Amino acid sequence: MSKFWSPIVATLKPYVAGEQPRIQNLTKLNTNENPYGPSPKAIAAMQAAVANSLKLYPDPSALALRQSIARFYGVDADEVFVGNGSDEVLAHAFVALLKHDKPLAYPDITYSFYPTYCRLFGIESVEIPLKDDFTIDLADYERPCGAIIIPNPNAPTGIGLPLSAIERLVAEHPDQPVVVDEAYIDFGGESAIPLTRKYDNLLVVHTLSKSRSLAGLRVGYAIGQRPLIDALERVKDSFNSYPLDRVAQAGAAAAIDDREWFDETRGKVIETRERVTGALRQRGFEVLPSQANFVFARHPGHSGETLAKGLRDRAVLVRHFAKPRISDFLRITIGTAEECDRLIAAIEEIV
């Protein structure tokens, strides 16, 4: 601590990102990165941006990128907001839409940035427990609240809700903003973006880090009706008018436009996920049903901590959360077929 700190700093419990270690011959399955790399068209667009335009400031409105996103989803560009990764988009949403007199509601086992943002921005919140099978029970959200945020599919469980359930949640809270964080929706879920045309209280947040293999570029976006987007823009322009540089805008737009690469690579991830799920279950693991690019699994004969350490000793890195109810689970990113073969081989040595 320092006498120069602002009072809030001492009270913060920062979000802990996934480890990015330097281990030789590492099979890295801990941070839900896409193993197949970005679209070649995105790489070409970024190279052109580097060569031609870095002496100039980027477009603060990122119009070309917003237009690409709008075309992909069949919405208007004015209904799209972009930011420096979905984490920044979410941060702006917490400030602009989720801070009210009544508490913000979200699941107790979920993306751990949510409670971090609540502490940082002074947002009262209530955590709604998942059911014993780790699913979200929407009946538990039928309570007074100021706003709601849920990931769909949820993280770290990977379990998704059907679109009909999301619509019911949004329709039952017409006076509260509802944010649906769809970081993993492209790996098996049905996006709620079409519902934004019907519901003025719905904001849907996406990232290019997962299904478009651009985790290192840091681009996220949100889609909703214009008044919600206007609120996000007001916060963004009070913080940083240029959150996305020219390289990021060019690469992200090209990635969105390359539907063929998007469909091919996410299809590979889904296929490998099903194979990994079957292989883990054959070896005695309980694996929650996943619609994400990871699986959440535990073994009745080994603690999560022991398994994570045993895998690390064999140069396979997965994510372990030392938290109540999930401390025996491992979150395992779906890598290439070869990486997942190494995972299974290492597990066989342990169990």
Side-chain angles (χ1 to χ4, degrees):
M1 295 181 65
S2 166
K3 66 180 181 181
F4 302 114
W5 283 10
S6 298
I8 190 174
V9 176
T11 69
L12 292 178
K13 183 180 179 183
Y15 171 78
V16 179
E19 185 182 3
Q20 299 285 352
R22 296 180 179 179
I23 300 175
Q24 288 188 341
N25 301 316
L26 177 68
T27 299
K28 187 175 181 299
L29 304 175
N30 69 317
T31 49
N32 297 341
E33 293 136 326
N34 192 313
Y36 295 109
S39 157
K41 295 178 181 178
I43 294 173
M46 289 185 281
Q47 291 171 334
V50 169
N52 299 326
S53 61
L54 292 190
K55 68 181 180 180
L56 302 175
Y57 281 110
D59 175 7
S61 72
L63 179 59
L65 173 55
R66 291 190 295 111
Q67 288 173 333
S68 290
I69 296 168
R71 284 194 300 271
F72 189 90
Y73 293 105
V75 300
D76 190 88
D78 285 341
E79 297 170 328
V80 179
F81 176 84
V82 296
N84 189 250
S86 63
D87 289 336
E88 182 183 76
V89 174
L90 288 167
H92 292 337
F94 271 70
V95 174
L97 301 172
L98 303 183
K99 185 174 183 177
H100 297 279
D101 293 336
K102 295 179 181 179
L104 167 66
Y106 56 81
D108 68 330
I109 299 173
T110 193
Y111 187 29
S112 54
F113 236 134
Y114 300 165
T116 297
Y117 283 147
C118 286
R119 289 189 294 268
L120 178 61
F121 301 128
I123 299 173
E124 182 184 355
S125 63
V126 57
E127 296 184 351
I128 311 297
L130 298 182
K131 298 193 319 185
D132 289 343
D133 62 357
F134 298 101
T135 58
I136 293 174
D137 188 347
L138 294 183
D140 292 336
Y141 290 79
E142 297 173 2
R143 63 172 67 202
C145 62
I148 295 170
I149 183 169
I150 61 169
N152 192 46
N154 194 14
T157 66
I159 299 174
L161 289 167
L163 186 60
S164 59
I166 296 296
E167 181 167 15
R168 186 169 73 251
L169 176 70
V170 176
E172 289 175 348
H173 295 85
D175 298 321
Q176 290 80 38
V178 177
V179 174
V180 180
D181 183 355
E182 292 189 340
Y184 301 100
I185 197 71
D186 294 325
F187 298 104
E190 187 175 2
S191 177
I193 287 175
L195 297 180
T196 61
R197 303 186 190 99
K198 183 177 179 181
Y199 297 99
D200 62 1
N201 61 327
L202 173 62
L203 186 80
V204 181
V205 178
H206 276 219
T207 176
L208 273 71
S209 296
K210 313 302 181 184
S211 59
R212 289 181 171 84
S213 306
L214 289 171
L217 201 64
R218 312 310 304 130
V219 179
Y221 56 94
I223 295 176
Q225 292 191 18
R226 181 58 203 168
L228 301 185
I229 301 303
D230 184 34
L232 297 177
E233 290 174 350
R234 286 168 175 255
V235 171
K236 185 266 288 186
D237 290 330
S238 301
F239 177 72
N240 180 7
S241 294
Y242 301 102
L244 291 182
D245 61 49
R246 284 179 171 268
V247 176
Q249 292 186 32
I256 292 288
D257 290 339
D258 193 348
R259 296 185 182 225
E260 183 177 355
W261 186 263
F262 167 71
D263 287 334
E264 178 183 345
T265 54
R266 68 175 178 152
K268 290 180 181 178
V269 170
I270 292 169
E271 180 181 358
T272 306
R273 181 189 68 207
E274 298 311 301
R275 184 171 66 84
V276 169
T277 297
L280 290 173
R281 286 174 175 163
Q282 288 174 4
R283 289 154 180 83
F285 281 81
E286 174 192 1
V287 186
L288 301 187
S290 175
Q291 291 182 323
N293 69 334
F294 60 84
V295 295
F296 206 49
R298 63 182 170 186
H299 193 282
H302 302 269
S303 72
E305 182 179 10
T306 299
L307 286 170
K309 183 181 183 303
L311 288 169
R312 188 187 183 94
D313 290 342
R314 292 163 175 80
V316 178
L317 194 62
V318 298
R319 191 78 186 263
H320 173 247
F321 299 91
K323 296 182 177 180
R325 297 182 67 192
I326 61 171
S327 61
D328 283 335
F329 279 89
L330 301 179
R331 194 194 68 189
I332 305 171
T333 302
I334 300 303
T336 63
E338 294 77 14
E339 289 172 330
C340 291
D341 286 343
R342 289 197 288 274
L343 163 76
I344 298 302
I347 283 176
E348 286 181 337
E349 295 179 5
I350 300 170
V351 303

